Amino acid sequence: MKTQAVTIQIFGRTLKFNCPVDEVDALNSAAKDLDSRLSSLREKSPQIGSEQLIMTAALNISYELTLEKEKSEEFSNRLKMLQQLLDSALNTSN
């Protein structure tokens, strides 16, 4: 897999990563999102240290990811149930 060196700015810091070429845009987008979240937290709580802001942002992102996983699992379960209902309906009509 071909990689590319990528430089991003997060919370006033410059970071360099090697990233698969086809994921560079996603990395840049994620970096901008994180930087925006950190800046927003800093505006709301200027007295809090950088480390705590970073941990708060990480916890918020993890919480959002957990909710999305739960929604995805629920959606998958509903699809399975609908597939079973369709299979059942098709089998009874035969």
Side-chain angles (χ1 to χ4, degrees), residues 3 27 49-51 53 56-57 64 71 73 78 81:
T3 63
L27 176 63
S50 295
E51 186 175 318
L53 288 174
T56 300
E64 290 172 12
K71 286 180 191 177
E73 187 175 320
R78 285 183 182 177
M81 187 172 57

Side-chain angles (χ1 to χ4, degrees), residues 11-26:
F11 213 42
R13 295 183 182 160
T14 300
L15 303 165
K16 295 181 182 184
F17 295 94
N18 284 325
C19 178
V21 173
D22 59 340
E23 296 178 13
V24 170
D25 290 340

Side-chain angles (χ1 to χ4, degrees), residues 12-60:
R13 295 183 182 160
T14 300
L15 303 165
K16 295 181 182 184
F17 295 94
N18 284 325
C19 178
V21 173
D22 59 340
E23 296 178 13
V24 170
D25 290 340
L27 176 63
N28 283 319
S29 179
K32 286 178 186 175
D33 178 61
L34 179 56
D35 187 60
S36 174
R37 288 170 185 258
L38 289 168
S39 294
S40 178
L41 285 170
R42 170 67 79 205
E43 288 174 12
K44 292 176 185 174
S45 304
Q47 72 282 2
I48 295 177
S50 295
E51 186 175 318
Q52 186 170 350
L53 288 174
I54 292 167
M55 296 301 285
T56 300
L59 184 58
N60 287 340

